[in-house]
Amino acid sequence: MSPHLRVRVGREHYALPIEAVREVELLGEPTPVPGAGPHVAGVRALRGELLPVLRLAGMLGVAGDAPARIVVVEEGGRRAGLAVDAIDDIETVPAGELAPASSPLTSGALVGGEHLIGVLDVRATLDAATGG
């Protein structure tokens, strides 16, 4: 069992492994980056570092509302802000209870309360954003 941060992107629910989450911040106004991929909202200065901000709704292919927060994630020395509509809770995801993944960016899914929750694969998400 491991703790995950549950977020909302549009009407969809996702969980991010807490060990990959560094902090949660207001989205603010990312500065657009000419020539960046379609899922890059821009960059944002955060504690003296320029942080790429990724449009998670577009990457996952879901209709998103207006993102209000970024979840700063780090994996393998890479750091990015994932734009999400809302932060819901921290909950424990039981090991071995995941249904097969329906997206290359998730490691599986589970039912949490009344919602289907996709468990985000942070490495795959950052790879997809950087073409890695």
Side-chain angles (χ1 to χ4, degrees), residues 1-6 15-21 90-94:
M1 298 199 317
S2 62
H4 282 65
L5 177 68
R6 193 162 42 93
L16 291 91
I18 204 77
E19 66 267 5
V21 175
I90 295 177
E91 60 187 40
T92 300
V93 172

Side-chain angles (χ1 to χ4, degrees), residues 28-122:
E29 292 289 328
T31 303
V33 177
H39 303 305
V40 177
V43 294
R44 181 167 180 267
L46 186 65
R47 298 186 212 323
E49 174 186 8
L50 280 180
L51 183 71
V53 177
L54 307 176
R55 292 184 181 103
L56 197 52
M59 294 183 74
L60 293 166
V62 300
D65 294 327
R69 304 239 178 221
I70 58 171
V71 177
V72 179
V73 295
E74 185 172 20
E75 194 285 322
R78 300 176 295 173
R79 187 181 291 227
L82 305 178
V84 300
D85 298 347
I87 306 297
D88 283 339
D89 204 354
I90 295 177
E91 60 187 40
T92 300
V93 172
E97 288 194 21
L98 295 181
S102 61
S103 163
L105 302 184
T106 61
S107 57
L110 59 104
V111 175
E114 301 174 9
H115 306 287
L116 182 64
I117 301 169
V119 178
L120 198 70
D121 182 329
V122 174

